[in-house]
Amino acid sequence: MSRSPGRKQENHKISRELFVLTYGALVAQLCKDYEKDEDVNACLDRMGYSIGIRLIDDFLARSAVKKCRSYSETADIIAQVAFKMYLGVTPSVSCNSAAGNEFSLILDKNPLVDFVEELPAERASLCYCNLLCGVIRGALEMVHLAAEVTFLQDRLKGDAVTEIGITFLRKPEDRKHRR
């Protein structure tokens, strides 16, 4: 028996919806478990970090990307390959510093908030999608790129877009390759 091409795509959509709903339930449970939003944010970041350090192997195996030569190339790979591969969206990338070590990933549509209308007033400092920051930080660390990853803007908090800031913490090294 052969499968119709539409069936595979339908299963992918169902899996994505299940993931988004499960993620929402996870965040809701964390909000019940922790009184402070900062504790929920830290827990989501730790979870994301653990996912990122494991996900990088899958990413490198499935994407066949070459070694990045600059921070801007790394940011582009994260946006154009990784986000597309795992979340089905492609954020735009902008460089935020003259040094070339600070970038923003700007998501017009964040799939993790498909079923979230707004954050409750008592959860104003909750960073609902902080898991993404941890995933990016963990994955980058596994390829020896220390980075600080934070949410700069969030649609759930009334901003026009969702913006994730990535600051690479080490200066690019000029290495001389020996033959």
Side-chain angles (χ1 to χ4, degrees), residues 74-166:
T74 302
D76 286 339
I77 293 294
I78 292 168
Q80 296 171 6
V81 181
F83 267 79
K84 183 69 172 171
M85 184 183 295
Y86 293 108
L87 293 175
V89 296
T90 305
S92 58
V93 179
S94 66
C95 184
N96 296 341
S97 71
N101 69 327
E102 295 180 25
F103 297 88
S104 285
L105 303 176
I106 301 167
L107 293 131
D108 294 324
K109 181 167 177 12
N110 182 351
L112 290 182
V113 299
D114 280 351
F115 302 110
V116 181
E117 292 180 18
E118 62 183 32
L119 295 176
E122 66 274 6
R123 292 292 185 178
S125 59
L126 176 68
C127 191
Y128 183 83
C129 295
N130 212 37
L131 183 94
L132 293 176
C133 293
V135 169
I136 295 167
R137 188 172 54 84
L140 287 172
E141 187 173 299
M142 292 308 291
V143 292
H144 307 289
L145 291 172
E148 182 179 298
V149 185
T150 57
F151 268 89
L152 303 175
Q153 294 185 70
D154 193 346
R155 277 200 162 158
L156 290 178
K157 295 181 180 180
D159 296 319
V161 294
T162 299
E163 180 178 2
I164 301 171
I166 302 173

Side-chain angles (χ1 to χ4, degrees), residues 57-86:
D57 289 331
D58 178 68
F59 172 75
L60 292 173
R62 290 178 53 202
S63 67
V65 296
K66 305 281 187 214
K67 183 178 179 179
C68 296
R69 305 233 181 254
S70 66
Y71 289 144
S72 63
E73 189 177 340
T74 302
D76 286 339
I77 293 294
I78 292 168
Q80 296 171 6
V81 181
F83 267 79
K84 183 69 172 171
M85 184 183 295
Y86 293 108

